[in-house]
Amino acid sequence: MIVVNGMLNKLGAVVFTSLLNQAQFALDFKTELDTMKTQLEVLKAYLSDTDNLKSKKEQIKTTLSKIRELFYKADNILTDCLVRDEYRSDGFCSSYSPQEVFFKYQVGQKLKNINSQMEKMGKLLSAFLKPQNPSIQGDMQKVITRFTSQDFDPSEIIGLESDLEKIKGWIFSKNEVLHRVGIVGMGGLGKTTIAQKLFGDREVVSQFERMIWVSVSQDFSEERIMRSMLEQLGQYGTGSDKGQMLRKLHQLLEGKTCLIVMDDVWDINLDWWNKLCSGLPKLTGRSNCIIITTRNEFAALKMGVDSSRVHRPKVLNEDESWSLFSLFAFSANKGICPNHQIEKVGREIVEKCRGLPLAIKTIGGLLASKINLFAEWKKISEQFHELTRGNDSSVTASLQLSCDELPSHLKQCLLCFSIYPEDSEIRAQQLIHWWVGEGFIQDTETKTATEQGFEYLSELVSRCLVDAVQRRGYDGRVYSCRMHDLVRDMTIKVAEDEGFCSFDGKGKQKLTADSRWLGFTSDMDTKSLKKNLKLRAVLLMSGNPTFFNTSNVMLRSLRVLDCSNGKLDPSQVGYLMDLICSLKRLACLNLSGVTGLKEVPASIKKLCNLQLLVLTGCSNLVKLHQSITNLKRLVVLDLGSCGHEYLPRQLERLSYLQELSGLRLVNNAQSCRLQDLVTLVELRVLRINVNNQSEITKEEMKVLLQLKKLKVLSIDAEDCKNEKIFETLDQLSPPPNLQELYLRRYRHEILPKWVNPVQLSGLQYLCIENGDLVNIRTSPETEDDSTWNLEGLCLKVLPNLVEDWKDLKQNMPLLHYVEVSRCFNLNNFPCPVDKPGVWRKDED
């Protein structure tokens, strides 16, 4: 049903908008599209009969599966039509050419066939369901409620204080050289939470010189564990020889006290484990410690934990459960229940969670958006045990309820997590680009699809279905995330039911001919790819993308291909590019970190539907062919940290472009100039590089001023010391609605004149890194009493900066987040200035 509802809304929107705007293909196939619109409304009406749908699910399972296949076919056809319309003005096709006549005939026949089958499906559904009266666009209008409170943190530990003190007592005792502590319990009981609290506890931290955290999980390897340990100790690129890695680890820990947390252990290679432990330093009067969290007590005992040092967290009592629930359910009200009626029903719900922290937080996050809807609370309380299955019924019910309550577009986004390996730290940008490429998110009048994607992810985090790992300091934007294994188990089950992908009994994805999403690993059998015409997303999870070596691969429906960090040599990249350039429906291509990529070939122009092209960190990329400017649907072009000399001219043809990174302003007749951006009125993000050879003409000084939608501007001066360049940058007119400004490698003592609180009155975040700046001054042209509206400030590696923290606070009264590193002359700052430090207003 998730796919059916999601595609129903998407197709309905495309058909409705195309007819409304009188797109050419909508005129060509007006009769068929009018019929499709009617059939979609009929299906929507039947599928809105949620009461009967739940009870008759098995009877209509086959029908729903057929509807799903029909929707995918329709989506392919409409995509082809939209792309064809986009390029029609370039002479891509003539209305009277034999090819165009044949295309129209084929599409007309396919649409008639789909409409006919939709009509049959409607009749089949009518035997079980009663038509309701929904809006075809209703679900799309649901408002996303974000958890944005800056001064209220629901991560506070409740009911675990005694657990912490007990384990700290074990850790601080001096009777052993190596303490081994086990935290054992079922999933969702708070084992990792206790370990995290200990890991960050000031008393604990003061006892150890080295702190290492390892997420082990089911699919572990000794090599991966040791690499993680070495990287946390500052050692990268250590090879793959396990013996060498073990020796290096012991060398780095020699003479140091250390705390090692082994989180989520399922099993261990005992021989390797004993070698690791035996090499830890033995220090007189000082102890090392290993903390192991696991669901399997035997695993802890096997790893050397004495049974007297096994801690088993208990479920929360009634008061503790209510306190934890209140933090999440009433987050918008500072954790305080608004009225007695809600409290009474809320306590009933909490009782059914049986004191399990994960279940309590999950159901609390679900109810946070319904704080004043008593009927909804009552309904959830009454339906709670309908979903009860198995011994851990509370968790299952809570998680399934949270999933069921998501709007359809968020359900599809949530299921994407299923293909990531257990315990993966997932980059938010990768996820969001996938969602955009698949069409789960579209632009609105006020927000881009990417901006909405970050909001979608924040919503999933606030509902406790996803955990934020890294956040941006000043506004809480999620940079990376992780999914709890119990939630992942639930998404796997639903993803299989919805026909997205298949898994084995251990939660590892299997490649089948019917897979629509694929988290590719190099140990997969690629033969199934030859027969797969349904794949819509392929993301490289490990190894190399060897599927491009498989002959006759026909990925006709593919929308998203992410081979980031694939280790490919130039010849392999050539074969991969041949495959890529045959993917006519591809919308998102990510080859970031593929060092074997030296050139983007002319054949890239074949990707007429490409909307996101991400090549970040392709350090050996030297050339982008001019044909890249033919990609008329492109909205994101990211060439950050690439080796290219310049971008080609005619970039102004990319009229939909919203994000452009890696624009090098060089004095070259073939390169893109700042003037070429003046027509790119949709730009929201612009990252440019200048150097000693850069040139900006007088005519180009006001180009940025005309980019009224630009919110993020980054200028990397590449350690340039040409005084002419600084004079030029001084004369730029900034974008009128800029919210974030980044200045990097800026080797000048003063900021550009326009960096002042009057011309940048809407600026929320200022980041200055690696420069020779002496002070952050208000421009002489502005009033002396002008103050900044900045909320966040980042100052890194500015050894010449001379400022007083008290003056900065006075000039920036709205600041609530400041990040500082190696600013030795920043006086009175409350954190150390010679190493990374963070100040938050609520902790002042």
Side-chain angles (χ1 to χ4, degrees):
M1 270 301 297
I2 292 174
V3 176
V4 171
N5 278 326
M7 293 293 285
L8 190 60
N9 289 321
K10 179 185 175 184
L11 291 176
V14 171
V15 173
F16 178 81
T17 304
S18 300
L19 289 169
L20 185 67
N21 297 335
Q22 293 195 319
Q24 184 58 50
F25 87 89
L27 298 176
D28 292 339
F29 306 107
K30 188 174 188 309
T31 301
E32 291 82 358
L33 291 177
D34 278 333
T35 303
M36 180 174 285
K37 181 172 178 288
T38 301
Q39 293 301 331
L40 288 171
E41 288 170 346
V42 170
L43 291 176
K44 179 78 172 179
Y46 282 119
L47 295 174
S48 296
D49 182 11
T50 53
D51 293 335
N52 283 319
L53 190 61
K54 189 177 291 185
S55 60
K56 306 286 178 59
K57 191 173 180 180
E58 284 303 312
Q59 292 97 314
I60 61 174
K61 189 174 182 179
T62 303
T63 303
L64 291 175
S65 178
K66 289 179 180 178
I67 292 173
R68 188 166 61 216
E69 294 300 320
L70 277 178
F71 284 178
Y72 280 125
K73 288 179 182 178
D75 185 51
N76 280 343
I77 294 170
L78 294 177
T79 296
D80 293 345
C81 290
L82 286 167
V83 170
R84 204 171 183 86
D85 260 18
E86 194 69 62
Y87 287 84
R88 191 185 295 267
S89 60
D90 289 353
F92 181 78
C93 50
S94 167
S95 299
Y96 303 106
S97 67
Q99 280 184 324
E100 181 67 4
V101 171
F102 183 62
F103 173 79
K104 288 181 179 178
Y105 172 77
Q106 275 193 318
V107 169
Q109 291 301 112
K110 288 177 181 177
L111 290 175
K112 286 177 182 176
N113 183 48
I114 288 172
N115 287 336
S116 174
Q117 291 184 63
M118 280 188 186
E119 186 178 5
K120 290 178 182 177
M121 297 302 106
K123 290 178 180 177
L124 289 172
L125 291 177
S126 67
F128 302 98
L129 306 175
K130 296 177 182 178
Q132 307 298 308
N133 188 28
S135 164
I136 193 73
Q137 295 172 302
D139 191 56
M140 299 176 67
Q141 305 301 321
K142 289 197 177 183
V143 176
I144 296 295
T145 304
R146 298 181 65 191
F147 182 63
T148 56
S149 175
Q150 295 291 336
D151 57 356
F152 184 66
D153 182 10
S155 62
E156 179 183 346
I157 290 186
I158 290 176
L160 301 177
E161 295 83 359
S162 59
D163 305 61
L164 298 173
E165 291 306 313
K166 175 182 175 183
I167 296 173
K168 283 166 68 174
W170 294 345
I171 293 174
F172 294 157
S173 64
K174 304 292 184 182
N175 58 344
E176 292 181 35
V177 174
L178 176 61
H179 295 293
R180 304 191 200 206
V181 174
I183 305 176
V184 178
M186 65 176 292
L189 199 55
K191 303 183 297 296
T192 299
T193 303
I194 294 172
Q196 287 172 336
K197 186 64 176 176
L198 290 165
F199 197 76
D201 185 271
R202 289 184 181 180
E203 289 183 286
V204 174
V205 170
S206 67
Q207 293 288 316
F208 301 101
E209 295 162 279
R210 297 288 183 267
M211 308 276 288
I212 299 173
W213 181 288
V214 182
S215 295
V216 182
S217 75
Q218 285 177 295
D219 192 25
F220 77 95
S221 70
E222 293 85 11
E223 178 187 335
R224 184 172 68 81
I225 290 173
M226 288 189 289
R227 179 169 287 111
S228 174
M229 289 178 163
L230 288 166
E231 287 177 356
Q232 292 178 61
L233 295 171
Q235 294 291 310
Y236 297 87
T238 50
S240 57
D241 183 276
K242 289 194 284 188
Q244 290 181 5
M245 294 170 77
L246 190 59
R247 285 191 291 275
K248 186 66 175 176
L249 191 58
H250 289 153
Q251 288 173 13
L252 292 170
L253 293 174
E254 187 175 355
K256 308 289 185 183
T257 55
C258 63
L259 170 65
I260 300 173
V261 175
M262 301 287 286
D263 183 46
D264 195 21
V265 176
W266 293 73
D267 199 3
I268 206 77
N269 180 332
L270 194 55
D271 181 54
W272 168 81
W273 176 249
N274 288 336
K275 287 179 181 177
L276 173 68
C277 294
S278 64
L280 295 178
K282 299 172 177 63
L283 306 172
T284 305
R286 294 188 293 170
S287 301
N288 298 310
C289 182
I290 296 173
I291 296 175
I292 298 158
T293 74
T294 179
R295 300 184 192 189
N296 185 349
E297 184 175 351
F298 178 74
L301 299 175
K302 181 180 174 182
M303 294 171 74
V305 178
D306 188 89
S307 58
S308 64
R309 290 294 183 268
V310 173
H311 176 66
R312 300 171 185 82
K314 294 181 172 60
V315 296
L316 303 181
N317 63 34
E318 182 180 345
D319 291 338
E320 292 165 345
S321 297
W322 178 250
S323 296
L324 181 62
F325 175 79
S326 297
L327 282 176
F328 288 83
F330 313 123
S331 57
N333 201 34
K334 306 290 186 183
I336 300 171
C337 181
N339 62 64
H340 177 70
Q341 272 190 318
I342 289 288
E343 179 174 344
K344 184 178 179 182
V345 179
R347 287 187 179 276
E348 291 175 5
I349 294 171
V350 169
E351 184 181 357
K352 295 171 185 176
C353 291
R354 300 179 188 172
L356 201 63
L358 177 62
I360 294 167
K361 290 191 292 184
T362 303
I363 200 72
L366 164 68
L367 290 165
S369 62
K370 308 173 187 295
I371 190 169
N372 294 313
L373 301 176
F374 175 75
E376 287 294 315
W377 282 58
K378 192 69 179 173
K379 180 180 176 183
I380 286 174
S381 177
E382 291 169 354
Q383 292 181 350
F384 197 95
H385 285 296
E386 289 181 18
L387 299 173
T388 300
R389 296 289 185 275
N391 294 327
D392 58 344
S393 56
S394 295
V395 181
T396 305
S398 296
L399 295 176
Q400 192 62 55
L401 269 174
S402 291
C403 182
D404 291 345
E405 282 292 305
L406 290 172
S408 59
H409 55 274
L410 280 186
K411 288 179 183 176
Q412 293 180 104
C413 294
L414 181 70
L415 295 186
C416 291
F417 286 86
S418 63
I419 72 166
Y420 287 93
E422 187 181 50
D423 271 336
S424 295
E425 183 172 336
I426 303 165
R427 288 177 288 118
Q429 187 183 63
Q430 183 188 59
L431 260 180
I432 290 163
H433 284 174
W434 175 6
W435 298 343
V436 175
E438 273 245 45
F440 296 160
I441 318 174
Q442 285 87 33
D443 291 344
T444 66
E445 290 184 5
T446 57
K447 293 176 184 174
T448 68
T450 302
E451 289 168 343
Q452 289 186 91
F454 279 106
E455 292 193 2
Y456 285 12
L457 184 55
S458 290
E459 176 75 356
L460 293 174
V461 170
S462 72
R463 289 174 180 255
C464 305
L465 289 166
V466 177
D467 296 323
V469 177
Q470 294 183 39
R471 286 182 181 269
R472 186 163 64 180
Y474 94 93
D475 65 353
R477 171 175 280 191
V478 178
Y479 278 157
S480 66
C481 56
R482 181 180 282 123
M483 178 170 275
H484 190 283
D485 52 1
L486 290 179
V487 185
R488 179 177 177 268
D489 290 343
M490 183 265 294
T491 64
I492 284 174
K493 181 181 182 302
V494 179
E496 283 191 299
D497 291 344
E498 293 288 333
F500 283 124
C501 33
S502 300
F503 297 84
D504 62 20
K506 295 181 179 180
K508 189 174 181 180
Q509 190 177 2
K510 298 185 296 184
L511 174 55
T512 69
D514 292 320
S515 298
R516 296 197 186 274
W517 296 342
L518 178 63
F520 186 82
T521 56
S522 52
D523 59 347
M524 285 182 169
D525 181 2
T526 57
K527 291 178 183 177
S528 298
L529 279 176
K530 292 183 180 181
K531 303 174 184 177
N532 192 310
L533 301 178
K534 298 180 178 180
L535 263 179
R536 295 173 66 87
V538 176
L539 285 77
L540 179 65
M541 296 296 164
S542 66
N544 288 331
T546 52
F547 53 79
F548 68 83
N549 291 325
T550 306
S551 59
N552 300 320
V553 174
M554 302 286 285
L555 305 178
R556 293 176 183 171
S557 296
L558 201 67
R559 301 303 201 274
V560 178
L561 178 61
D562 189 320
C563 295
S564 50
N565 299 311
K567 298 173 178 63
L568 301 171
D569 61 40
S571 63
Q572 291 175 313
V573 170
Y575 287 120
L576 179 60
M577 290 305 295
D578 287 343
L579 169 63
I580 288 171
C581 293
S582 70
L583 307 174
K584 68 175 185 175
R585 294 183 179 121
L586 192 68
C588 175
L589 174 61
N590 187 338
L591 298 178
S592 58
V594 177
T595 54
L597 181 65
K598 293 187 175 181
E599 180 180 354
V600 176
S603 53
I604 194 78
K605 67 182 179 183
K606 295 179 181 179
L607 302 180
C608 295
N609 190 42
L610 196 64
Q611 297 158 40
L612 304 101
L613 178 58
V614 182
L615 304 175
T616 316
C618 294
S619 53
N620 294 315
L621 178 66
V622 293
K623 183 181 179 183
L624 287 91
H625 195 274
Q626 174 76 34
S627 63
I628 199 171
T629 62
N630 292 332
L631 303 176
K632 297 182 68 173
R633 305 199 83 198
L634 212 59
V635 294
V636 173
L637 177 56
D638 190 344
L639 295 157
S641 303
C642 287
H644 64 293
E645 293 181 20
Y646 58 85
L647 286 175
R649 298 298 298 267
Q650 297 188 321
L651 215 64
E652 67 272 13
R653 299 176 65 191
L654 306 179
S655 58
Y656 297 136
L657 204 61
Q658 297 168 355
E659 297 184 28
L660 175 60
S661 301
L663 173 62
R664 296 186 184 278
L665 298 180
V666 299
N667 191 8
N668 183 314
Q670 296 177 310
S671 70
C672 174
R673 299 192 59 87
L674 198 59
Q675 185 64 40
D676 297 337
L677 307 185
V678 73
T679 58
L680 301 183
V681 295
E682 296 299 324
L683 268 181
R684 267 68 165 190
V685 178
L686 176 62
R687 299 184 178 96
I688 61 179
N689 294 56
V690 296
N691 55 38
N692 288 316
Q693 286 74 46
S694 294
E695 180 186 59
I696 302 175
T697 65
K698 286 185 178 180
E699 293 76 19
E700 294 176 310
M701 295 300 179
K702 294 190 176 181
V703 167
L704 296 179
L705 183 63
Q706 298 177 62
L707 301 178
K708 300 189 185 305
K709 294 184 180 180
L710 195 67
K711 297 179 181 179
V712 179
L713 174 63
S714 172
I715 300 176
D716 187 338
E718 297 186 352
D719 297 324
C720 164
K721 294 189 177 180
N722 186 338
E723 197 62 34
K724 267 187 148 183
I725 297 300
F726 296 121
E727 291 174 6
T728 301
L729 292 176
D730 252 357
Q731 298 173 51
L732 290 176
S733 296
N737 298 303
L738 198 64
Q739 295 177 5
E740 300 174 25
L741 175 63
Y742 300 80
L743 286 176
R744 296 188 171 96
R745 296 190 284 179
Y746 188 75
R747 299 298 171 189
H748 202 48
E749 292 186 351
I750 59 175
L751 291 169
K753 291 179 181 178
W754 48 271
V755 182
N756 65 70
V758 174
Q759 288 182 272
L760 298 178
S761 59
L763 198 68
Q764 298 173 11
Y765 184 70
L766 175 62
C767 175
I768 308 172
E769 295 184 47
N770 295 292
D772 295 336
L773 196 67
V774 173
N775 58 47
I776 303 173
R777 52 105 179 101
T778 300
S779 173
E781 288 84 359
T782 64
E783 295 293 332
D784 290 341
D785 59 353
S786 297
T787 58
W788 292 87
N789 292 319
L790 288 173
E791 297 178 20
L793 178 66
C794 177
L795 304 171
K796 289 185 177 180
V797 196
L798 303 172
N800 301 333
L801 181 70
V802 180
E803 286 282 1
D804 191 283
W805 169 237
K806 294 178 181 177
D807 294 337
L808 280 181
K809 284 181 71 176
Q810 187 174 350
N811 292 329
M812 303 174 181
L814 302 182
L815 271 183
H816 59 75
Y817 178 87
V818 179
E819 191 174 350
V820 170
S821 176
R822 296 180 65 189
C823 297
F824 308 111
N825 299 309
L826 178 58
N827 300 316
N828 297 312
F829 192 66
C831 303
V833 294
D834 57 341
K835 58 184 180 181
V838 171
W839 171 86
R840 291 181 175 86
K841 189 172 185 177
D842 56 350
E843 298 174 0
D844 196 5

